[in-house]
Amino acid sequence: MAKQSIFGRIAQLAKANINSLLDQAEDPEKMLDQMVRDYKANITEAEGAVAQTIGNLRMLEDDYNEDVKASQEWGSKALAASRKADEYRAAGNPTDAQKFDNLAKVALQRQISSENEAKASAPNIAAQTDVVEKLKTGLQQMHGKLGELASKRNELIARSKTAEAQTQVHDALKSIDIMDPTSEVSRFEEKIRREEAKVRGQNELAASSLDAQFNSLEDLGEQTEVDARLAALKSGGTPAQPAISPAADAVDEADFDKL
């Protein structure tokens, strides 16, 4: 009964603490550490209760041993008084013989009383011994469970850290996924593409402007040649005739026939 009450109360306390921690569940490592501390506290409380139970058993055993010892002592006294009575009776002294016989009877009564007390406490001692053994076994089991809890704590914390690391790696990989249009790399690449396109547009504009400048130079060269020939005509000279195709020559003669 004592075993059930002690360990039952401790088990309820441990369960209540664990459930409370699980409900909070803020930090797995802190939660598991708290569970280990609470279980150690429960073991300490159980050890105190078991120690008290063992102490009570030892007191019963001491009383039993004292009763047994007293019974033996009273038995020895009864024997001594009986022998003394026999000596006086043999010496022809019945009065002293009777006196020591009476002392022997008193000693025997005390012996019987001590024996009865010892017999009465024996079943209680046996029951308490059985309880103490069960309590010791329960404590050993609790220490074993504490070892399992500590080992499980280490395993769960390792798994928690592994899961956290995997999550961090996954998030890191996702953040640099070049196929993901929302990633930083993709946005940076898009920005560079726009800058490259802008540069190409500027190059096209620059090329178009350069072609226009060369065209202007060609027009300017042709006009310069015309002016030079006109000046030669006015001065009475004969300007050099450029090579022209017959078709072009025919067109020019037709125009000049109209003059």
Side-chain angles (χ1 to χ4, degrees), residues 171-186:
D171 292 341
L173 290 174
K174 184 178 179 181
S175 67
I176 59 173
D177 186 0
I178 61 175
M179 301 303 295
D180 184 359
T182 63
S183 69
E184 294 295 332
V185 173
S186 296

Side-chain angles (χ1 to χ4, degrees), residues 4-5 8 32 47 67 77 80 98 105 116 244 249:
Q4 182 179 3
S5 61
L32 291 168
E47 287 175 340
D67 290 335
K77 290 179 180 180
Q98 186 61 42
K105 289 179 181 180
N116 289 336
I244 58 174
D249 184 48

